[in-house]
Amino acid sequence: MNDLRKNDAREIEDLETLEWLESLEYVLQNGGPERVRELLHDLDTYAHEAGVDLPFTANTPYVNSIPKEKQPKFPGGREIERRIKSLVRWNAMAMVVRANKQEAGIGGHISTYASAATLYEIAFNHFFKGKDNNSDGDQIYFQGHAAPGIYARAYLEGRITNGQLENFRRELAKGGGLSSYPHPWLMPKFWEFPTVSMGLGPIMAIYQARFNRYLEDRTLIRKSDSKVWAFLGDGETDEPEALGAISLASREKLDNLIFVINCNLQRLDGPVRGNGNIIQELEAVFRGAGWNVIKIIWGGDWDVLLEQDHSGNLLRRMNESIDGESQNYVVKGGKYIRDHFFGKYPELSELIENYSDEALEKMKRGGHDPEKVYAAYQAAISHKGAPTVILARTVKGYGLGEAGEGKNITHQQKKLNEEELKHFRTRFGIPISDEDISKAPFYKPSEDSAEIKYLKERRKALGGYVPKRVVRNQPIQTPPEEMFEEFYTGTEGREVSTTMVFVRILTKLLKDKEVGKLIVPIVPDEARTFGMESLFRQIGIYSHKGQLYEPVDRDSLLYYKEAKNGQILEEGITEAGSMSSFIAAGTAYATHAVNTIPFFIYYSMFGFQRIGDLAWAAADMRCKGFLIGGTAGRTTLAGEGLQHQDGHSHLLSYSIPNMVTYDPAYAYELAVIIRDGIYRMYEKQENIFYYITVMNENYEQPALPKGVKKEQILKGMYKLSSSTKKTAKLKAHLLGSGTILNEVIKAKDILEKNYNVSTDVWSVTSYKNLHTNALEIERWNMMNPTKKTKLPYISEITNNEEGVFVAASDYVQILKDSVAKYLPGKLTTLGTFGFGRSEGRNELRDFFEVDTKHIVYATLYSLFKEKKIKAEVLTKAQKDLGIDTTKPIPWTV
Ligand SMILES: Cc1ncc(C[n+]2csc(CCOP(=O)(O)OP(=O)(O)O)c2C)c(N)n1
Ligand SMILES: [Mg+2]
């Protein structure tokens, strides 16, 4: 085809398009949107039948979801809100710049908040609900890196002092400072939700919204119109946790949940999708999952152009945009926009003929237009039956100008030179003189200024300042000792596992008048694994919809019962989701003033190793509750092998400072620990949470020995039995935990009978407790050299003992090594360092060298090293005990 004919064809096509569009417009005017929908559906069917393969798309065009005609009237004062926002912008920028002047490299982020200012300010002035008058308010997950803006607003509100602002990122400075990011642990009266480890905010927000429903359905709180808001970055959505649970939110129809994704099209290094379009991509993902999606892409000034464009080319051009190119429109200015965006089609060049380059440059992205943002939020809070996501297009580093607006380096920008500061000041109209500008001073108008008055009035009308963490719960009464007494008496010959004991304790707690309704059992599709299926029927599985079907096992006693007031959170196979539920339930004492007590039971191997960062976030949030690591221990879980056998979760739990950790062996230990846990967390209101391992090995559960104090069990170690062999020359102390305590007891018998070693047995319930207590005492001694030296608990109880010490457990050696120096004799440690194996229990214990014979042998070797016995005894023992000295090193194979 020659060029002339090509042009003709193009013209005809354009004409054809125009005719179709005009017809559609006619139908829209006369028949309304419903008729348009019908018609398009029929066209679609017709094309399909004619063999035209229309590609599936979950996308709508790249325009605002709410057309101008549907925008509600903006109720606020545009001008005053703009001024307030400018002040927040300035102070947020100044706090980062000043902090980096004081100490280079202290960090901080300017550009994230700069892009999100309108998104936050509209919410602060019109939507976020506070907690005044004992209301629960909204739960707001602020984007971690936007923290400077949130502080800057609190500064204007009079909640944060000049000094604190000055000490941003200097928390140890005199007078106190501000934490870099939202950390309730560090600022417990301010921040509620830690969000800076990206991806955790969104998933926690989803489960928070669902837990709010759970509390309502179980009548633990009143129904309210509280919302959960999660603000996140567009780059953040690449985290699997960010989008991994979105279908739960739509399935559960969580219309109390709003995601606001700040689509500044950039992350740290560069564009989120240079060659694509992140807004369209996210739209498809969320729409596909059943969310209500609201896009705010273009500011109001674009509406004028859209109305004037009859060629359809503006929409076409918008749809063609890829993000890498859009970024150029920010960085390269008006001329570039004219040439490259509008210049592609002659009709579009014509359309903007009367616009100056500067005017083109100033045309806003939707996320910077208060009226568009307001309209989106209004639509979101009124939407029924599905969660809403708002995809707001913004400019990263908005307002920074040459200093980094839209540039790839903008995320890391922390310093502004004098010219850049002046530019910022002038652009946002901050009354700071040229002389003062280089210092980047904070600026706050007087209390009776229109700005401060307006901002305070708005927050008052909305129920008080946010963010704000308030703890309003009343302590509860710990269940009485009698409830636990059956566990102190032993099972009298009956063999049961500590998992079964745990389930029995849980069942009793659930029946308790006081705490029963507060217990929240959480399982990631493992209730049957842990023998908890009787609870299905007894307390029901929570489902907002109730049970719409007859379960196949309806005739059985333990049928799968779902109910609106069900108590179990059966999360399905999502440890991250279950942990998020645990966090929502374990922090409800603060969020809702309800003392819910979560018990999250899971395969211990799929705990910290899998969701360690969420456990860290829980710790930061002062979360309470019990994490129960089931099928724990590297050698108790026969057959399962490398991916299932856990010998190190206790080591991982060491790393969480406020986590109390136990590896109990017996029913009475477990009962004492759980009761004390409830007491410490919910009566004494300590900011701790628990990790307890339970095992699936059956054995007789002994009675609480006379003379053993519960307090010793809690401190982490007590003497289980003293040797009756008082005259023997050789002395040993065996320390055992969990199921391996049974191996230790068998070892004692052999040592006493065959080797004439007087042997005492100690049960160690928590190496972590012993270790942290020792650290504390040693530190005290060091700080108080003139005072009487104190003894760590472990030293105190072993002080007068003689002989060698051997410790064995189903966990890695280093746990036991952590207490070695506090014992009066040499400690030999046996543990399970290495990859698990598919094998039987006995073979595994032999492989890892934690079985009876290895404990006996290690004890003899220790006595030999102390020169208490001869080498020949060892050589003989190897043979008698069946120690294979040529076997491979367990952690190398
Ligand atoms: C889990 C995790 N990984 C990496 C980081 C480091 N990090 C901080 S901000 C950032 C880029 C954020 O981009 P985006 O989510 O788009 O937010 P924006 O600042 O653009 O609003 C990165 C990689 C982090 N905070 N958390
Ligand atoms: Mg971004």
Side-chain angles (χ1 to χ4, degrees), residues 770-813:
L770 298 176
H771 182 237
T772 42
N773 164 267
L775 290 182
E776 249 174 74
I777 302 289
E778 287 222 315
R779 183 178 174 279
W780 189 91
N781 288 337
M782 193 151 67
M783 298 294 179
N784 299 279
T786 57
K787 301 210 175 110
K788 190 169 175 262
T789 304
K790 291 184 185 180
L791 278 182
Y793 170 71
I794 183 171
S795 311
E796 192 185 301
I797 56 172
T798 54
N799 204 15
N800 297 321
E801 306 288 359
E802 284 175 0
V804 296
F805 289 78
V806 177
S809 85
D810 232 357
Y811 289 86
V812 289
Q813 287 83 331

Side-chain angles (χ1 to χ4, degrees), residues 287-334:
R287 282 190 77 196
W291 283 53
N292 173 39
V293 179
I294 302 176
K295 296 191 288 192
I296 20 179
I297 302 173
W298 311 97
D301 27 21
W302 289 86
D303 288 332
V304 185
L305 285 182
L306 276 167
E307 273 163 23
Q308 287 169 359
D309 173 49
H310 301 295
S311 67
N313 280 336
L314 182 53
L315 190 61
R316 180 182 297 170
R317 194 71 192 102
M318 286 170 164
N319 280 327
E320 285 167 358
S321 294
I322 56 167
D323 292 350
E325 186 56 14
S326 296
Q327 206 182 333
N328 276 318
Y329 303 142
V330 177
V331 176
K332 296 189 179 160

Side-chain angles (χ1 to χ4, degrees), residues 190-255:
F190 194 84
W191 295 116
E192 291 184 281
F193 307 106
T195 44
V196 79
S197 179
M198 288 186 297
L200 302 192
I203 192 169
M204 289 194 292
I206 290 174
Y207 282 86
Q208 179 71 55
R210 209 274 301 255
F211 191 69
N212 292 355
R213 280 279 163 74
Y214 171 94
L215 290 177
E216 286 177 2
D217 286 342
R218 290 188 45 71
T219 64
L220 288 166
I221 59 170
R222 268 179 293 129
K223 273 201 170 28
S224 81
D225 57 1
S226 280
K227 302 284 177 202
V228 176
W229 300 79
F231 286 76
L232 45 148
D234 47 359
E236 183 173 5
T237 60
D238 282 334
E239 290 285 0
E241 290 91 342
L243 301 184
I246 60 170
S247 59
L248 170 97
S250 42
R251 190 163 68 239
E252 299 271 329
K253 300 194 184 342
L254 298 179
D255 49 21

Side-chain angles (χ1 to χ4, degrees), residues 101 163 334 398 407 462 545 548 552 561 652 703 728 854 876:
K101 268 195 181 154
Y398 186 75
K407 291 184 180 166
L462 287 160
K545 288 187 182 143
L548 306 175
V552 285
K561 179 179 149 193
L652 299 177
H854 281 97
K876 183 165 185 311

